[in-house]
Amino acid sequence: MALPWPFRALIWFCTVVSVSFAHKNVLFMLADDGGFEMGAYRNRIVQTPYLDALAKQSLIFNNAYASVSSCSPSRASILTGMPEHQNGMYGLHNGVHNFDALGRVRSISTILGEAGSRPTSETTMALPWPFRALIWFCTVVSVSFAHKNVLFMLADDGGFEMGAYRNRIVQTPYLDALAKQSLIFNNAYASVSSCSPSRASILTGMPEHQNGMYGLHNGVHNFDALGRVRSISTILGEAGVRTGLIGKKHVGPGEVFKFDYERTEEQFSVNQVGRNITNIKLFVREFLRDAKDNPFFLMVSFHDPHRCGHITPQYGSFCERWGSGEEGMGLIPDWHPIYYVWDELILPYYT
Ligand SMILES: *[C@@H]1O[C@H](CO)[C@@H](O)[C@H](O)[C@H]1NC(C)=O
């Protein structure tokens, strides 16, 4: 089948921040749905002489992303330096959407205002810019057009730390080999820097204010996608493709995100389906055996890079002891960890 890949990367914001350190002022310009169509971002057709002149004296962000591809949540992220599940501004502020940030959250304008400056005009202070670019997902999509299959691998909180993305320290020979036969996205961004909404965006091709999955699916957060939305797995399943999900699911409801074969945290512990690679291997084999000669769409959703010390501290802060073979830790037979000197690794900025 041809791949009607519903990835809609909504690049909807553009910012030029003019910072004059001499005068210690900030002019922050935000364009609603704007892209990079300006001279300062090397567009040779669109003429933006005033922006370009401003940009020359300014800080240009070449690696800043909207943390949500939705208006109010993105504005709130920019102004608070927090992703939506921390600032509470999950959805649009207006009309029926009716979302608001949590009362205890403080925005940059509030903070600057309290520091004795007037945030809308002559601001005088050093700039504690709280931009937190959360790059939390990494995907490798392996598409074989000959066999018309899709293997979609998603890592929970993973970055670009693999050979295929030119990391020279981290050793990922199997991913690199897969990547050689695959489609590599060099310009794909998470449309939301929050787990369930990002997963729902990937699987529905819609931003959160269209698919309804504004927040986390679990516990008190309790968000679900709208019932009328259809995910890629549902659409492919109806077209006769065998669909499977092994690992972390974290989206709902089930009618929207249908898979023929599911081995997720809904039936097992998330560690067994998301971290135990021996188990994952056995599930993949079972899925492929059942798929027979059918084309398939298989999503393998690793939980591994995600921290776990807040839930099971006995396994280490990233469950790095779990399955190590030490007493009480069990064994993951296929796991042969490589230990890196962490300060040799180049990691994205985080706070
Ligand atoms: C991982 O899965 C394998 C295969 O099911 C199992 O034998 C092993 O005990 C599991 N490891 C842990 C730590 O649970």
Side-chain angles (χ1 to χ4, degrees):
M1 40 157 292
L3 280 180
W5 198 255
F7 246 107
R8 280 203 258 161
L10 290 186
I11 300 175
W12 72 276
F13 89 132
C14 93
T15 62
V16 177
V17 175
S18 168
V19 180
S20 154
F21 285 98
H23 295 94
K24 293 165 182 162
N25 298 322
V26 181
L27 168 62
F28 171 48
M29 294 162 66
L30 185 66
D32 207 349
D33 284 344
F36 295 96
E37 292 70 35
M38 60 182 86
Y41 281 110
R42 311 243 168 114
N43 190 306
R44 283 156 208 262
I45 314 281
V46 178
Q47 290 168 45
T48 52
Y50 299 110
L51 285 176
D52 303 350
L54 258 179
K56 282 224 176 83
Q57 315 162 42
S58 302
L59 194 57
I60 295 261
F61 291 104
N62 285 317
N63 279 305
Y65 312 114
S67 80
V68 196
S69 61
S70 182
C71 189
S72 312
S74 178
R75 285 168 193 270
S77 287
I78 292 169
L79 291 170
T80 64
M82 293 176 175
E84 54 168 27
H85 56 266
Q86 285 178 5
N87 67 41
M89 190 92 198
Y90 282 109
L92 301 177
H93 180 59
N94 59 305
V96 291
H97 308 283
N98 199 28
F99 281 92
D100 269 319
L102 301 169
R104 61 174 161 72
V105 169
R106 299 168 76 232
S107 70
I108 179 96
S109 57
T110 306
I111 295 167
L112 291 178
E114 288 169 7
S117 54
R118 281 186 289 139
T120 51
S121 57
E122 301 121 72
T123 305
T124 54
M125 55 166 300
L127 282 177
W129 199 256
F131 248 107
R132 280 203 258 164
L134 290 186
I135 300 174
W136 75 276
F137 90 132
C138 94
T139 61
V140 178
V141 176
S142 168
V143 180
S144 155
F145 285 99
H147 296 94
K148 293 161 184 163
N149 297 321
V150 179
L151 169 64
F152 172 44
M153 293 162 63
L154 185 67
D156 204 348
D157 284 344
F160 294 98
E161 291 69 39
M162 59 181 86
Y165 280 111
R166 313 242 169 114
N167 190 305
R168 281 156 209 264
I169 313 280
V170 178
Q171 291 166 49
T172 53
Y174 299 109
L175 286 175
D176 302 350
L178 256 180
K180 282 224 174 82
Q181 315 161 42
S182 301
L183 193 59
I184 296 261
F185 291 104
N186 285 319
N187 279 306
Y189 311 112
S191 80
V192 196
S193 62
S194 182
C195 190
S196 310
S198 178
R199 287 168 192 270
S201 288
I202 291 170
L203 290 170
T204 64
M206 293 174 175
E208 53 169 30
H209 57 267
Q210 285 178 5
N211 68 41
M213 190 95 202
Y214 281 110
L216 301 177
H217 180 57
N218 60 304
V220 290
H221 309 283
N222 198 28
F223 281 94
D224 268 317
L226 301 169
R228 61 174 161 71
V229 168
R230 299 169 78 234
S231 71
I232 179 101
S233 58
T234 307
I235 294 166
L236 292 178
E238 287 169 7
V241 175
R242 175 97 181 150
T243 59
L245 170 55
I246 297 166
K248 183 167 170 182
K249 186 173 184 189
H250 210 199
V251 287
E255 317 84 85
V256 170
F257 302 98
K258 272 192 216 151
F259 291 87
D260 300 320
Y261 179 96
E262 287 194 26
R263 298 292 181 272
T264 75
E265 78 278 11
E266 293 176 1
Q267 303 96 27
F268 299 88
S269 95
V270 74
N271 281 355
Q272 290 299 351
V273 292
R275 296 186 199 265
N276 184 343
I277 55 171
T278 300
N279 237 346
I280 295 169
K281 175 185 78 178
L282 298 175
F283 288 144
V284 169
R285 284 186 183 159
E286 187 176 61
F287 171 80
L288 292 175
R289 199 188 57 224
D290 295 351
K292 300 198 183 77
D293 293 332
N294 280 320
F296 66 79
F297 171 86
L298 176 61
M299 177 169 172
V300 182
S301 180
F302 296 94
H303 191 43
D304 242 332
H306 198 289
R307 76 201 196 286
C308 81
H310 59 308
I311 298 172
T312 47
Q314 69 276 24
Y315 299 149
S317 46
F318 285 85
C319 276
E320 67 277 9
R321 296 182 61 204
W322 187 71
S324 64
E326 288 169 71
E327 199 176 330
M329 292 295 139
L331 186 70
I332 300 173
D334 289 284
W335 185 43
H336 308 291
I338 301 170
Y339 296 94
Y340 300 98
V341 181
W342 74 266
D343 56 4
E344 281 178 3
L345 301 177
I346 300 163
L347 294 171
Y349 168 78
Y350 68 100
T351 59

